[in-house]
Amino acid sequence: MRHLLYTFFIFFTTLGFSQSSDSLTQSNKDVSVGLVLSGGGAKGLAHIGVLKAIEQAGVRIDYIAGTSTGAIVGALYAAGYTAAQLDVMFKAVDFSTLIQDDVPRRAKTFNEKDESIKYALTLPFDGFEISFPTGLSNGQNIYNLFSKLTSHVNHLTDFSKLPIPFFCVATNAENGEMVLLENGYLPRAVSASGALPTLFNPVVINDMILIDGGIVNNYPIDELRAKGVDIIIGVDVQDGIKKKKDLTSALDLVLQVNNYTSVKQMQTKIKDTDIYIKPDIEEFSVVSFDDAKMIVQAGFDAANLLTEKLDSIALQQTSSAALKPVPHNNEDLYIKQVVIEGNNYYTDAYILGKLKLKTPATVSYSSFSEGVNNLSATGNFDDIDFRFVKDQANQYTVSFKVLESKSKMELRLGAHYDPLYQTGVLLNITRKRILTSNDIASLDVVVGDNLRYNFNYYIDKGFFWSLGFKSSYDFFDKNVSIDFVANDLNATSEFPVNKIDLQYSDFTNQLYGETLFNRIFLLGIGVEHKYLRYLSETIGTDVNNVPRTIFENTNYVSAFGYVKYDTYDNIFFPKKGVVFQADTHLYLFSQGSNNNFEPFTILKAKAGYAKTFFGKLTGVFTAETGFKIGSSSTSSLDFFLGGYGFKQVNNILPFYGYEALSLRGDTYFKIKPHARL
């Protein structure tokens, strides 16, 4: 009797387990499992927590489908990374820098280092009509990082051949149809799947303009089922329909419109999902990257609620061979050559110059990425696609495919104040490709208390000698001490005043050539014409009985040369880097009121070093000097120190603690050590 009861117990227990497991239990079969990961911006980091729980349960993933952030996480997992590795990588990422394509200052060319700090707003201005860019970011930083992380599988063009087969979806912006991306270049496909409109520029693949896949299919379960998997685990990190109080930005509105369709579709898709996981992340937004730790944990907690089901699946799978660990990404790359396609206007030399890349050469991947970002930051390319091809000797050929921008003109705006020039509104028009493929013309006009302009025409030849022409006019009107013009007054002249109103104007034209030396030093030489005039209406009378004294009214011609080295990460508040600049002007001729002119030379140099200690304390040390060699008959080009924040013209230099133009001499030496937290 006891044996009979035992037999009935085993029978009913087995039957009950079979019925409760429903479709998840399939006898005598090694079940295959597909994983679908939805998009959701920062909320997609919850996918990492879910993957941790899946690994912990011992479930083998046989196919992955993803959209947007789900495509990013899914592709990396499919490429062989573990959930723990993904957790470490994503926590170390500065998402603000990653999304904004913020190019480190040290990576920019010398001209772009100066230009980038001047303007608050840049807009396309072709045909003298203001338009707006297609996205706030090119997504270049994400593309660069993803290319590095997947370098060990970049030889695979069929995504089903990855350690775990994978595909993602994007939206064809032209017709609104879904595009299944299951072959090609993995970083390119993932970039297209996550190209959220207004935030990222579209990605072109096979002549299709692709944008975020979540617009048409944010949970590609049907496409995954078609791959023949037996069981589908789905992770849903999508937003629901928001209330009025939560619609506070343009991005919120874009996502809300997209959610109308996806929320309706999910009603059916949830039913078709064998194990549906919905992390509790409503309190977070699509840009809550600073809350990555909590979002990952929310994903882990949600998956852990389904431990029994996950364990049940694992019991129905045979053990598979362990995936090979992802090889360590070598930071240094030996690049033997660069192949460039798609450039009709900009030469190879120009592109290589922006990349700061001469081949063959060994460069770090971070330096290479900075060069790519610098090329992107020029605004001359709507798309930059690159791929590393490694040969048997572990040497790389980098294949670039670029899409040149059709936009040729930009309008830039800015505002400025300093004690010397006072208030000013900066208007800039920049025009590219005027006479040659690599040229650029830029005109700044400053309207305010003192009118001035700056024009620059530049033919950029990259590593070869580039040619340029500059023309500028600067004017200011300021009260200065009578001592300021003491050297310009007749020794017998006496004026019963302490201060005078000085009107100072400078008109300068330069023709110059410059080149990069050893990829980091900028060398330049040129010739200069300068018309210098300053006067005061406070004292004296001129030859025409006009109540004014003209102290200087002379044209000068000089030859000059300079060298620059600059790795500061920030020009105003550097935390690290070195800067060195040296400049020499040999004044050869003059014509005008300076009748005592004799040739002379002015040399100037500046050196600075910044370093951060203990994570927060930054020390900066700078030293400057300038001196005159030769005749002292010309004093109008002496060094004038004082003030801060103004554009340096001639030898008028800032010096904290004194009002502008307070100190004057033919030699100066300045040391400035300081520290800050």
Side-chain angles (χ1 to χ4, degrees):
M1 183 67 178
R2 191 169 57 182
H3 290 290
L4 180 61
L5 291 174
Y6 182 78
T7 301
F8 274 104
F9 176 80
I10 295 296
F11 173 79
F12 284 111
T13 302
T14 304
L15 178 62
F17 178 79
S18 176
Q19 290 174 340
S20 66
S21 298
D22 197 19
S23 64
L24 299 184
T25 301
Q26 303 180 36
S27 60
N28 301 322
K29 182 179 179 182
D30 177 22
V31 298
S32 59
V33 177
L35 178 67
V36 58
L37 305 176
S38 79
K43 294 186 175 187
L45 298 175
H47 294 317
I48 298 173
V50 173
L51 287 169
K52 283 185 174 182
I54 288 174
E55 287 182 354
Q56 184 174 285
V59 175
R60 185 191 71 237
I61 301 299
D62 300 292
Y63 224 116
I64 300 176
T67 299
S68 196
T69 315
I72 295 175
V73 175
L76 290 173
Y77 196 73
Y81 289 98
T82 66
Q85 287 176 312
L86 294 180
D87 193 17
V88 172
M89 287 191 298
F90 278 88
K91 286 179 180 177
V93 169
D94 181 351
F95 284 97
S96 177
T97 300
L98 194 69
I99 292 173
Q100 296 179 29
D101 279 347
D102 186 17
V103 181
R105 184 177 181 273
R106 64 182 181 276
K108 298 177 182 179
T109 62
F110 287 90
N111 185 57
E112 288 158 355
K113 287 176 181 177
D114 296 333
E115 293 293 302
S116 62
I117 62 174
K118 292 168 59 176
Y119 312 108
L121 181 65
T122 299
L123 297 170
F125 198 51
D126 292 284
F128 295 95
E129 294 183 358
I130 295 177
S131 57
F132 295 91
T134 56
L136 298 177
S137 169
N138 288 334
Q140 196 66 54
N141 273 333
I142 297 176
Y143 185 81
N144 294 350
L145 177 61
F146 208 86
S147 294
K148 178 182 180 181
L149 295 177
T150 60
S151 60
H152 61 290
V153 293
N154 68 6
H155 60 287
L156 299 175
T157 58
D158 183 351
F159 301 161
S160 68
K161 303 299 183 183
L162 290 168
I164 301 176
F166 168 82
F167 71 82
C168 59
V169 298
T171 303
N172 189 325
E174 189 174 6
N175 54 30
E177 294 181 356
M178 184 191 75
V179 178
L180 197 66
L181 299 171
E182 49 189 348
N183 54 64
Y185 188 45
L186 187 60
R188 189 80 174 160
V190 170
S191 295
S193 183
L196 182 65
T198 71
L199 182 58
F200 295 112
N201 285 343
V203 175
V204 178
I205 297 179
N206 297 330
D207 293 328
M208 294 183 294
I209 301 175
L210 302 182
I211 55 178
D212 194 292
I215 294 173
V216 65
N217 190 349
N218 204 29
Y219 192 84
I221 185 173
D222 295 333
E223 292 73 21
L224 181 58
R225 184 76 72 182
K227 297 300 181 181
V229 295
D230 300 313
I231 296 173
I232 290 183
I233 300 173
V235 188
D236 181 8
V237 295
Q238 305 173 78
D239 273 329
I241 301 300
K242 291 186 175 182
K243 302 296 184 180
K244 179 174 65 176
K245 63 182 179 64
D246 297 320
L247 299 174
T248 58
S249 68
L251 183 59
D252 289 334
L253 292 172
V254 171
L255 295 172
Q256 180 84 331
V257 172
N258 179 52
N259 288 341
Y260 294 146
T261 302
S262 61
V263 169
K264 185 176 181 180
Q265 291 176 344
M266 283 304 297
Q267 296 174 4
T268 301
K269 292 183 176 182
I270 291 174
K271 297 177 182 178
D272 294 336
T273 306
D274 298 302
I275 294 184
Y276 176 72
I277 302 174
K278 179 71 173 177
D280 183 12
I281 48 177
E282 289 187 5
E283 64 180 291
F284 305 107
S285 73
V286 294
V287 292
S288 298
F289 291 104
D290 291 339
D291 299 313
K293 185 176 181 180
M294 290 186 288
I295 295 174
V296 171
Q297 185 62 42
F300 182 77
D301 293 340
N304 263 348
L305 296 176
L306 301 169
T307 298
E308 290 186 9
K309 290 186 177 182
L310 293 175
D311 290 342
S312 174
I313 294 175
L315 290 173
Q316 300 172 67
Q317 293 182 308
T318 59
S319 59
S320 59
L323 295 176
K324 295 181 179 179
V326 176
H328 177 71
N329 287 298
N330 189 5
E331 178 66 13
D332 291 330
L333 306 170
Y334 182 83
I335 300 176
K336 65 178 181 180
Q337 65 175 338
V338 175
V339 179
I340 303 172
E341 298 179 31
N343 53 322
N344 298 314
Y345 299 115
Y346 299 98
T347 64
D348 288 3
Y350 171 85
I351 293 174
L352 291 172
K354 295 300 179 185
L355 292 170
K356 298 182 180 178
L357 185 61
K358 278 187 175 182
T359 56
T362 298
V363 299
S364 67
Y365 196 92
S366 58
S367 295
F368 174 83
S369 295
E370 288 177 354
V372 173
N373 281 350
N374 184 50
L375 182 65
S376 176
T378 64
N380 295 330
F381 302 93
D382 288 337
D383 193 34
I384 301 172
D385 185 13
F386 65 86
R387 185 171 183 176
F388 289 95
V389 180
K390 184 168 65 173
D391 61 20
Q392 294 181 346
N394 288 327
Q395 298 178 355
Y396 290 90
T397 294
V398 187
S399 177
F400 275 91
K401 188 173 183 180
V402 298
L403 178 64
E404 294 170 328
S405 173
K406 295 180 180 179
S407 177
K408 295 182 178 180
M409 187 177 294
E410 293 177 332
L411 174 66
R412 302 177 181 180
L413 303 172
H416 181 73
Y417 172 81
D418 66 73
L420 183 59
Y421 290 103
Q422 299 180 2
T423 58
V425 175
L426 175 61
L427 305 175
N428 171 272
I429 294 179
T430 299
R431 177 70 158 81
K432 303 170 184 177
R433 304 197 301 268
I434 298 177
L435 301 178
T436 71
S437 297
N438 298 348
D439 69 357
I440 182 170
S442 175
L443 174 64
D444 285 325
V445 177
V446 182
V447 180
D449 293 309
N450 295 285
L451 181 67
R452 53 197 189 274
Y453 84 85
N454 184 67
F455 173 77
N456 188 16
Y457 176 76
Y458 191 68
I459 302 175
D460 196 331
K461 296 289 187 178
F463 281 111
F464 299 104
W465 279 90
S466 301
L467 301 176
F469 171 74
K470 290 182 179 180
S471 179
S472 63
Y473 173 76
D474 293 278
F475 174 85
F476 60 81
D477 187 340
K478 181 173 176 57
N479 282 326
V480 299
S481 168
I482 190 68
D483 295 334
F484 178 85
V485 294
N487 294 343
D488 303 304
L489 295 171
N490 189 304
T492 60
S493 301
E494 293 186 7
F495 297 100
V497 293
N498 294 321
K499 287 193 171 184
I500 61 171
D501 181 66
L502 184 73
Q503 298 177 23
Y504 187 101
S505 61
D506 174 273
F507 175 58
T508 299
N509 300 286
Q510 293 181 339
L511 183 65
Y512 64 98
E514 62 184 23
T515 186
L516 281 174
F517 172 70
N518 200 26
R519 295 174 47 208
I520 56 175
F521 292 97
L522 183 68
L523 304 178
I525 57 173
V527 293
E528 176 185 89
H529 160 258
K530 179 181 297 292
Y531 172 58
L532 184 60
R533 184 173 188 260
Y534 57 91
L535 59 89
S536 175
E537 296 179 348
T538 305
I539 56 177
T541 303
D542 67 9
V543 294
N544 297 317
N545 290 323
V546 177
R548 64 182 182 183
T549 298
I550 299 176
F551 303 106
E552 174 67 290
N553 187 30
T554 305
N555 290 280
Y556 294 95
V557 176
S558 66
F560 64 89
Y562 55 87
V563 59
K564 296 181 181 180
Y565 174 75
D566 185 353
T567 62
Y568 270 180
D569 59 345
N570 186 292
I571 188 61
F572 298 114
F573 304 104
K575 293 184 177 180
K576 60 181 178 179
V578 176
V579 65
F580 174 76
Q581 300 175 4
D583 172 276
T584 179
H585 272 70
L586 173 60
Y587 290 89
L588 302 169
F589 311 103
S590 76
Q591 185 274 323
S593 62
N594 188 353
N595 297 319
N596 299 320
F597 176 83
E598 293 179 1
F600 64 95
T601 300
I602 290 180
L603 292 94
K604 291 184 290 185
K606 175 182 178 180
Y609 176 73
K611 185 174 177 61
T612 299
F613 304 90
F614 313 116
K616 293 183 178 181
L617 179 63
T618 299
V620 182
F621 178 87
T622 58
E624 294 181 49
T625 186
F627 51 91
K628 183 188 294 184
I629 300 175
S631 173
S632 59
S633 58
T634 300
S635 60
S636 55
L637 289 169
D638 282 353
F639 299 102
F640 305 111
L641 274 65
Y644 61 91
F646 53 81
K647 172 194 172 186
Q648 297 183 24
V649 56
N650 295 326
N651 298 315
I652 300 176
L653 307 169
F655 189 68
Y656 290 107
Y658 288 86
E659 190 177 350
L661 306 175
S662 294
L663 305 175
R664 177 173 183 168
D666 60 4
T667 301
Y668 85 98
F669 183 70
K670 181 172 71 170
I671 296 178
K672 181 184 175 184
H674 71 279
R676 66 174 184 275
L677 290 174

